[in-house]
Amino acid sequence: MRYPPEITRRLRSTPEQMRAAWVDGSPPPPQPIVLVPYDPRWPELFDEQAETIRRALAGRALTIEHVGSTAVPSLAAKPIIDIDLIVTDSGDEPAYVPDLERAGYRLVLREPHWHEYRVLTRAAPAVNLHVFGPNAPEHLRHMIFRDRLRNHPEDRDLYRAVKQALAVSTAGSPGEYNLSKNTVIDEIYGRAFGLDDA
């Protein structure tokens, strides 16, 4: 299957855009990267949070998906549940943010220039809630990457090995961890998109 360029091309925010995106004016202090073995309770935690979000939004959640490493059986991960939430207009914060805040979430990031992306978090259980509008390319990329790892153990194992090595090598500068994963992520996306066959 061939994907359109808006899906296959990685878009990166500029440093200035990233600095401006933090709702509180600056990113939270970096935390050490702690990877743990896959926990079979993670899908249950996702289901519980998905139900909390559905109740909070009363029909305004178009799609709620478990994404990220905790959505891939047998993959070590940071114990934070990543959830993609699709709403009619992610830029219309009054339509959903206050209700999610009442449900225990906190808005931490907004990137109007990047698919009107928003991030809300909660601490217990630890969740990153990624909010997009319908057909946002980055949400589709999340789904493609998750499904590639679920269905291709060799890519899952490669990703796990690289993450574990980086958790050690970037321990002194945890902010580098996500940036350092980009090479292997792009490699896996290349296979998922069929670019290796081009």
Side-chain angles (χ1 to χ4, degrees):
M1 176 178 183
R2 292 297 178 194
Y3 293 91
E6 59 268 25
I7 303 296
T8 60
R9 184 176 60 244
R10 179 196 289 268
L11 298 180
R12 292 181 173 89
S13 299
T14 67
E16 294 77 17
Q17 289 169 327
M18 279 306 304
R19 282 193 291 273
W22 295 101
V23 171
D24 292 338
S26 61
Q31 300 295 318
I33 301 300
V34 177
L35 298 180
V36 300
Y38 179 78
D39 188 334
R41 293 174 299 174
W42 286 337
E44 297 171 20
L45 288 174
F46 162 74
D47 288 340
E48 291 168 5
Q49 289 307 301
E51 184 56 30
T52 295
I53 294 163
R54 283 189 196 95
R55 285 197 308 267
L57 297 185
R60 284 165 286 150
L62 303 181
T63 304
I64 304 173
E65 289 282 352
H66 191 184
V67 296
S69 293
T70 62
V72 180
S74 301
L75 183 59
K78 292 179 288 185
I80 302 170
I81 306 299
D82 281 291
I83 299 175
D84 274 11
L85 167 65
I86 307 304
V87 295
T88 301
D89 179 1
S90 52
D92 184 9
E93 293 179 16
Y96 65 94
V97 169
D99 292 316
L100 291 172
E101 289 176 333
R102 282 188 285 274
Y105 284 86
R106 182 171 69 92
L107 180 66
V108 296
L109 188 79
R110 67 168 60 92
E111 293 191 79
H113 64 279
W114 196 66
H115 317 304
E116 288 290 351
Y117 177 55
R118 303 296 191 272
V119 178
L120 295 92
T121 63
R122 71 178 301 153
V127 177
N128 290 330
L129 180 61
H130 309 271
V131 186
F132 298 99
N135 299 314
E138 192 62 20
H139 165 63
L140 300 176
R141 285 172 60 88
H142 287 178
M143 301 288 288
I144 291 165
F145 193 76
R146 179 200 68 187
D147 292 348
R148 176 74 188 189
L149 296 184
R150 283 178 172 178
N151 296 314
H152 292 81
E154 67 283 3
D155 279 336
R156 179 200 64 208
D157 294 345
L158 170 64
Y159 190 47
R160 178 175 56 221
V162 170
K163 291 204 311 174
Q164 289 170 331
L166 288 174
V168 173
S169 66
T170 64
S173 55
E176 291 296 310
Y177 174 78
N178 284 332
L179 289 175
S180 298
K181 289 191 301 180
N182 283 341
T183 299
V184 70
I185 288 172
D186 286 343
E187 177 185 335
I188 293 169
Y189 268 129
R191 286 190 285 276
F193 295 146
L195 300 180
D196 291 350
D197 304 327

